[in-house]
């Protein structure tokens, strides 16, 4: 199921695309009625339109980069839940190991010097299993939940930037109904697009920092715990 904020962003993008098309229709209608002595205005409008299309292209490129990097909050939460479930299973197993519930701890099933030696090392197994929950799964799940929060925050930032852009475009449309109003109207829209690009770029940069921090934390969790294999005596 799509997260509501993603749907909101898609709706805003559609709104912006429709507004740009409305501007194109207005420009075509107005320029079709321009007398020859106002050709200089036509030239200014054409130049402004070309600049606007360039900035709009940059905006779509930035959004494409954004969506190719930023994950889906639901998928991230699912990964966090999987780590949590793994931790619960490991915790249960660790309790079983230390609770005298292993067949290997029953002298009636297994006895002798080998059995005694094994029972003396059960604690090592328990520590390894417990570490999967206490030091790995818990941290991984928590880090992923934090990352999910960062993703949602970034999406809300994007929604705010696009909403402001849509408002700026509508404002520019209001100034573009006449031939003399077209150049400043398009300039207003160009300014709104530039502001949106800068805002999205900053949000994307901040998010990359959060991702790098999360990756460092998760990698350190794995390497510092040193749970890479069973205790040697078990192998």
């Amino acid at each position: 199921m799509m997260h509501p904020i993603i749907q909101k962003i898609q709706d805003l993008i559609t709104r912006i695309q429709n507004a740009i098309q409305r501007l194109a229709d207005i420009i075509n209608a107005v320029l079709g009625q321009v007398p020859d002595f106002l050709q200089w205005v036509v030239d200014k409008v054409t130049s402004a339109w070309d600049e606007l299309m360039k900035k709009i292209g940059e905006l779509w490129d930035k959004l494409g980069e954004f969506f190719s990097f930023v994950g889906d909050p639901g998928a991230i939460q699912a990964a966090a839940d999987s780590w949590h479930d793994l931790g619960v299973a490991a915790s249960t197993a660790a309790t079983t190991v230390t609770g005298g519930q292993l067949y290997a701890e029953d002298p009636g099933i297994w006895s002798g010097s080998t059995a005694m030696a094994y029972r003396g090392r059960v604690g090592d197994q328990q520590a390894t299993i417990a570490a999967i929950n206490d030091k790995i799964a818990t941290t991984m799940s928590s880090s992923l939940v934090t990352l999910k929060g960062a993703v949602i925050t970034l999406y809300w930032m994007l929604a705010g930037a696009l909403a402001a852009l849509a408002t700026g475009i509508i404002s520019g449309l209001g100034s573009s109904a006449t031939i003399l109003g077209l150049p400043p109207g398009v300039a207003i829209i160009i300014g709104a697009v530039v502001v949106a690009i800068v805002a999205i770029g900053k949000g994307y940069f901040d998010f990359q920092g959060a991702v790098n921090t999360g990756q460092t934390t998760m990698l350190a969790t794995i390497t510092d715990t040193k749970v890479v294999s069973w205790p040697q005596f078990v192998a």
Side-chain angles (χ1 to χ4, degrees):
M1 181 178 179
M2 182 181 297
H3 194 281
I5 187 58
I6 298 178
Q7 182 62 58
K8 181 177 180 65
I9 289 171
Q10 291 183 345
D11 292 343
L12 284 167
I13 290 175
T14 299
R15 183 181 174 190
I16 290 169
Q17 290 172 329
N18 291 339
I20 293 296
Q21 183 57 54
R22 283 174 55 198
L23 176 62
D25 294 341
I26 290 173
I27 290 176
N28 290 332
V30 172
L31 293 187
Q33 304 175 28
V34 175
D36 292 341
F37 70 88
L38 288 178
Q39 182 60 43
W40 63 273
V41 179
V42 174
D43 294 340
K44 283 186 173 295
V45 171
T46 301
S47 177
W49 175 258
D50 291 342
E51 180 64 19
L52 175 59
M53 289 299 96
K54 177 182 176 182
K55 293 302 180 185
I56 288 293
E58 292 177 11
L59 174 64
W60 297 147
D61 289 343
K62 185 65 68 175
L63 287 175
E65 181 182 3
F66 179 98
F67 285 112
S68 68
F69 183 80
V70 180
D72 173 50
I76 296 174
Q77 182 62 57
D81 292 342
S82 295
W83 276 105
H84 172 76
D85 293 344
L86 173 63
V88 170
S91 180
T92 300
T95 300
T96 300
V97 169
T98 57
Q101 301 177 43
L102 298 177
Y103 283 121
E105 296 181 79
D106 186 346
I109 297 177
W110 189 22
S111 61
S113 59
T114 302
M116 293 179 62
Y118 181 85
R119 293 180 191 121
R121 302 297 298 274
V122 166
D124 292 338
Q125 291 186 61
Q126 190 276 338
T128 299
I129 297 172
I132 294 174
N133 175 54
D134 299 339
K135 298 183 179 180
I136 296 180
T138 299
T139 300
M140 295 291 282
S141 179
S142 176
S143 296
L144 287 168
V145 169
T146 299
L147 178 60
K148 172 194 170 185
V151 169
I152 293 176
T153 297
L154 182 61
Y155 275 131
W156 276 111
M157 178 284 304
L158 176 59
L162 293 177
L165 172 57
T167 300
I169 293 175
I170 292 173
S171 176
L173 288 174
S175 302
S176 303
T178 65
I179 181 59
L180 295 180
L182 271 176
V186 175
I188 290 173
I189 296 174
I190 291 174
V193 173
V194 170
V195 170
I197 291 173
V198 171
I200 294 170
K202 182 181 183 304
Y204 182 71
F205 178 81
D206 292 342
F207 177 71
Q208 284 182 312
V211 170
N212 291 337
T213 298
Q215 288 178 332
T216 299
T217 299
M218 288 186 280
L219 180 61
T221 296
I222 298 295
T223 56
D224 293 349
T225 303
K226 297 182 174 60
V227 180
V228 295
S229 65
W230 284 112
Q232 186 174 1
F233 76 93
V234 179

